[in-house]
Amino acid sequence: MVRANRFIVILLGLQRLSYLIPATMTLGSAAYRTGALNTALVLATITANVATFVYVVRRGWFPQWLAWADVGWACLLTLLVSVNSAGAYDDSSVNWSGRMAQAAAALAGAAIPRIAFAALAVGALMATHLWADVLGGGSWPGCLDCLNGILWFAVIIGFAVRYLRRQGSELDRLTAERLAAQTKQAAAQARLEHFRVLHDTVLATLTVIGRGGLEHSPEQVRERCAREADLVRRLMVSDEQAPPRTLTQRLGQVVEEAQALGMRVHCHFNGASDGASDAPPGVAEALAGAAQEALNNVLLHSGVRTAWLTVAANGDGLLVRIVDRGCGFEPGAGGFGLSFSVAERMRAVGGTSRVSSAPGDGTCVELSWPA
Amino acid sequence: MAGLNAGVINLAVVDDDRMLLDGLASWLAGDPGLRLAGTYGGVEELLADRTPADVVLLDLVLRDGTDAADNVTRLVEAGLRVLVISVWLNLPQVAATFAAGARGYLTKDHDLPELASAVRTVASGGTVYSPELALACLNDTRPQRPRLSTREREVLLAYASGMTLNAAARHVGVRPETAKTYLDRVKAKYQAVGRPTYTKDQLAQRVREDGMSPVIGDMP
């Protein structure tokens, strides 16, 4: 986009330069009715053009008003120079206004975004030119030649600008896409790297310590813990982005709370990683709340402190199960209050719940969304 | 040899985590029914040692970079019963080890009684259907995975959710013996696809059914 604009600005600048150089040759020429007027017009045109291009080069592109101003100035030149040059018609070295009208048409084609307006500007240039020629009693071949130039410069430059910009923005888009893909890949790579490092070190150490049986080598354990605490600290510094709250994260929080109460919860969210991240916030909240309720019941009534929490895909929906291998109960015997509050939460978001249990055989609370 | 006494299960462990091996040894000392016959850093080392082992505990991720399913295949070919363990659940790898003939899978965070019970199940010729193994079968996306029936998947899902056999049967609405039959069928299907006799034609058909690209050149 920027490159396309710069290219067109240079092109239009060179076109004007090629027209202004011959115009300066007319300074001091005796061919005009009023030499001073011609001198004034040439100098004013050169000054305006230099100012314009300095402004545009700084800014990057022509503002639309500048194109209209240029068209207006070209129309004025067409009338004044044609009348002043008294019988020296278009295309001659004397009447330099025809060339300037062509340059203005090219600028209008480039810098007026709406094609209808650009056409209006070009029409104004052509009409003025025709009028000046009629006033001056000009020759038709020369007049048509100049009109032809005005029309086609506008068309060619207008087309070139739009084409280059389309290509440019396409190129910009592809570049941005490639950059985004590279960034994403790098992030995934970094995650994978973290993961691998954690697997080989912290996870292995914690697992072994968690299982016990290391009482005979406290020094070894202490050393390894210290080393890995350092590692985790380093990883935390390099990983600053916090992802949004998904069902998985909400459930993770519920599990943490249950663990804080002394429970052991085996979690498996692998079954529905996509669905779990896409669940609407209200649904995630309801599922997490119901899961918390179910885990509380395991703690209060099952007689065991171990539970399983799994999330699985269920068609397009989600299936969350909270399972224990505790004492169970006779479904329908009541007294739990479990079915009611869990079912109520699920119904509110268009889901259902089901409790299956038998005395001595554990309990499963199943949450499905949608119903 | 004392280790070959009736009723004592000889355990060989292939793992490269020194600390885990130490912990395991002091642990097993507390269980008279289990004997640690040897610890090894890799499968090659174990096979070279020719220690009589009733059950091999094999780490899923070894630092020597060997493939878990290949390791299982080699141990099974040597006539050993393999129970796979790991700190981190890698579903496709676990499914591959099951197809290769592993008798089960456990994460390393299980308590000793659980591990001991799993080892006894394997030693007596059984299969340990842990929630993690059930999960691995359910989420198996490898092209050579077996096709499971709706009922089989339901029982697996119940297992993956942490239910016992009885609870799983009740939840699905079948008798416990029937649920057990479904699990045995899953195992049979897995081991059928894991066998080298699984032909390219069968695999190609499977791949076509799944609508996946028919790249089967490197399959057995």
Side-chain angles (χ1 to χ4, degrees):
Chain A
M1 184 80 174
V2 173
R3 275 192 307 252
N5 284 352
R6 197 183 311 137
F7 175 71
I8 295 292
V9 168
I10 292 170
L11 207 67
L12 291 174
L14 291 175
Q15 182 197 20
R16 269 159 201 261
L17 196 62
S18 77
Y19 297 160
L20 287 172
I21 289 170
T24 55
M25 307 292 187
T26 65
L27 291 176
S29 160
Y32 299 95
R33 284 186 177 153
T34 315
L37 176 62
N38 186 59
T39 305
L41 289 174
V42 168
L43 291 179
T45 305
I46 290 172
T47 310
N49 273 282
V50 168
T52 296
F53 275 85
V54 167
Y55 173 67
V56 168
V57 164
R58 282 208 190 126
R59 198 171 168 279
W61 186 243
F62 303 93
Q64 198 183 162
W65 64 263
L66 198 60
W68 286 109
D70 191 59
V71 167
W73 180 248
C75 288
L76 193 67
L77 279 182
T78 303
L79 291 173
L80 293 178
V81 178
S82 296
V83 171
N84 197 26
S85 52
Y89 298 117
D90 331 289
D91 254 5
S92 70
S93 58
V94 178
N95 189 350
W96 46 279
S97 70
R99 299 290 193 199
M100 293 319 294
Q102 288 173 4
L107 178 55
I112 299 177
R114 282 189 56 178
I115 291 183
F117 288 168
L120 191 70
V122 172
L125 285 166
M126 291 170 75
T128 312
H129 189 80
L130 206 59
W131 185 30
D133 271 10
V134 171
L135 284 183
S139 76
W140 286 108
C143 172
L144 288 176
D145 192 36
C146 191
L147 288 175
N148 189 51
I150 290 173
L151 178 65
W152 287 104
F153 267 117
V155 170
I156 291 166
I157 299 290
F159 169 73
V161 166
R162 285 163 181 83
Y163 177 79
L164 286 175
R165 280 196 185 156
R166 239 192 336 268
Q167 296 298 309
S169 58
E170 181 70 8
L171 196 70
D172 287 351
R173 193 180 60 75
L174 290 174
T175 310
E177 263 176 22
R178 205 182 55 218
L179 199 71
Q182 279 169 351
T183 312
K184 208 169 141 188
Q185 200 184 1
Q189 193 62 41
R191 258 203 311 280
L192 201 70
E193 187 60 28
H194 282 185
F195 206 49
R196 203 189 55 70
V197 167
L198 287 172
H199 172 266
D200 288 350
T201 56
V202 180
L203 189 55
T205 302
L206 291 179
T207 307
V208 172
I209 292 172
R211 265 192 6 184
L214 287 163
E215 292 74 15
H216 63 291
S217 55
E219 195 52 31
Q220 193 192 357
V221 175
R222 201 192 53 73
E223 228 172 72
R224 199 158 151 175
C225 286
R227 197 175 61 227
E228 274 149 27
D230 280 344
L231 175 78
V232 173
R233 259 175 236 121
R234 280 202 303 279
L235 289 180
M236 282 167 78
V237 171
S238 63
D239 197 0
E240 71 281 2
Q241 278 186 341
R245 279 160 81 85
T246 62
L247 173 61
T248 314
Q249 286 170 321
R250 276 295 284 123
L251 287 176
Q253 211 172 31
V254 166
V255 168
E256 267 173 38
E257 284 162 19
Q259 279 167 339
L261 295 172
M263 287 187 76
R264 177 92 192 279
V265 185
H266 298 279
C267 301
H268 289 300
F269 301 154
N270 313 49
S273 44
D274 294 343
S277 53
D278 289 347
V283 174
E285 207 50 50
L287 285 168
Q292 187 167 29
E293 195 75 35
L295 285 173
N296 284 342
N297 272 280
V298 173
L299 189 65
L300 294 174
H301 303 290
S302 72
V304 291
R305 301 210 145 201
T306 305
W308 281 260
L309 174 60
T310 40
V311 182
N314 183 23
D316 288 338
L318 290 165
L319 193 68
V320 177
R321 280 175 173 173
I322 300 90
V323 170
D324 68 73
R325 297 177 178 177
C327 63
F329 64 99
E330 191 70 60
F336 260 80
L338 170 70
S339 341
F340 180 74
S341 95
V342 168
E344 206 41 51
R345 280 175 196 272
M346 291 309 296
R347 235 196 317 277
V349 291
T352 55
S353 67
R354 174 191 162 201
V355 178
S356 82
S357 186
D361 228 8
T363 302
C364 168
V365 177
E366 187 177 272
L367 315 170
S368 326
W369 179 86
Chain B
M1 281 193 278
L4 294 176
N5 285 345
V8 174
I9 297 167
N10 285 289
L11 202 58
V13 184
V14 181
D15 199 311
D16 45 22
D17 189 332
R18 203 62 246 166
M19 218 161 101
L20 175 114
L21 292 175
D22 281 359
L24 204 64
S26 74
W27 245 19
L28 291 173
D31 191 330
L34 300 177
R35 195 184 78 95
L36 188 59
T39 60
Y40 307 91
V43 167
E44 203 62 55
E45 210 183 303
L46 167 66
L47 291 174
D49 199 32
R50 303 190 160 275
T51 308
D54 300 306
V55 176
V56 177
L57 285 186
L58 171 69
D59 190 3
L60 187 69
V61 189
L62 288 173
R63 260 165 237 163
D64 61 10
T66 47
D67 178 69
D70 285 349
N71 286 339
V72 171
T73 304
R74 297 181 58 203
L75 292 168
V76 168
E77 275 171 4
L80 293 161
R81 289 171 175 165
V82 183
L83 179 61
V84 178
I85 53 172
S86 78
V87 278
W88 168 59
L89 174 60
N90 178 324
L91 293 173
Q93 273 189 351
V94 170
T97 60
F98 191 43
R103 299 301 186 100
Y105 169 80
L106 284 182
T107 43
K108 285 183 190 172
D109 54 358
H110 285 280
D111 302 330
L112 177 62
E114 264 175 274
L115 181 63
S117 139
V119 167
R120 290 197 166 89
T121 305
V122 173
S124 63
T127 299
V128 180
Y129 293 100
S130 60
E132 291 80 13
L133 178 60
L135 202 66
C137 296
L138 275 176
N139 292 289
D140 193 356
T141 51
R142 301 169 308 134
Q144 63 272 41
R145 70 185 180 277
R147 179 165 299 257
L148 302 178
S149 73
T150 310
R151 276 297 192 194
E152 287 160 359
R153 292 188 69 84
E154 277 175 5
V155 174
L156 277 179
L157 183 59
Y159 247 83
S161 312
M163 293 184 214
T164 58
L165 182 65
N166 282 345
R170 184 191 63 230
H171 195 85
V172 174
V174 298
R175 295 184 317 144
E177 304 81 64
T178 317
K180 181 76 175 57
T181 311
Y182 285 129
L183 288 180
D184 288 340
R185 266 192 229 158
V186 170
K187 178 184 162 187
K189 284 181 178 180
Y190 259 87
Q191 299 195 345
V193 298
R195 270 200 298 274
T197 49
Y198 195 63
T199 66
K200 281 188 182 178
D201 284 348
Q202 285 171 308
L203 185 57
Q205 189 190 348
R206 188 64 221 284
V207 165
R208 276 196 297 278
E209 285 167 6
D210 288 352
M212 302 176 85
S213 69
V215 180
I216 55 166
D218 57 346
M219 290 300 174

